[in-house]
Amino acid sequence: MTNTLEAWLLDGGTQPVALAPPELAAVVYQPRIHPLPLAPEGLPGFALWQGVVIPVMDLAWRAGGVAAGGEEKRPFLGVARFADPNTGQVAFGGLLLNRPPVVIPVDDRLRCPYPEPIAFWREVSWSCFLHQGIPTPILKLSALFGGE
């Protein structure tokens, strides 16, 4: 018998990803993204959320090196919560999304190999499962944002 759990399914552009339910703090429609001078292309800037400055990541660029378009093309920001690996404090990061996340069922029978680029997804994911036939990594936010 396998346990069925829930996950948030996120559409950030080229690759669907998932988060555990407690990791999604909020979804913001049409957030204001402030550019960061000299920031890498995969970090289009930062946003203010409830008085907290959070880095905003273009996961499509990070995964494949091609920007999937800015916030004008992906009007939602998923505000993710994680423990900073250096301090243990709660930290936040933003992911540009095409649409609001949806809750989906996940269980061990759906486990599958990582999509390409495999090395990237191994580094920033806990594991991967199939959703509607598509490999979907479960993000390890501390590695993605915290440099774990």
Side-chain angles (χ1 to χ4, degrees), residues 91-142:
F92 297 93
L95 297 166
L96 293 175
L97 304 174
N98 288 326
R99 59 190 54 86
V102 295
V103 175
I104 59 168
V106 178
D107 70 50
D108 287 341
R109 293 174 298 178
L110 301 172
R111 190 174 179 142
C112 70
Y114 289 109
E116 294 292 334
I118 293 171
F120 171 75
W121 291 115
R122 266 197 194 126
E123 180 182 323
V124 301
S125 304
W126 294 106
S127 64
C128 190
F129 65 93
L130 283 176
H131 176 69
Q132 298 179 343
I134 300 170
T136 305
I138 301 171
L139 292 180
K140 186 176 184 180
L141 295 167
S142 58

Side-chain angles (χ1 to χ4, degrees), residues 45-95:
F46 68 92
L48 291 174
W49 176 71
Q50 296 188 355
V52 177
V53 175
I54 60 170
V56 174
M57 183 166 299
D58 182 343
L59 194 55
W61 185 88
R62 285 282 316 268
V66 178
E71 62 274 9
E72 64 281 348
K73 293 186 180 177
R74 290 175 289 155
F76 295 93
L77 180 70
V79 179
R81 156 184 36 233
F82 62 97
D84 183 297
N86 299 313
T87 66
Q89 300 289 322
V90 173
F92 297 93
L95 297 166

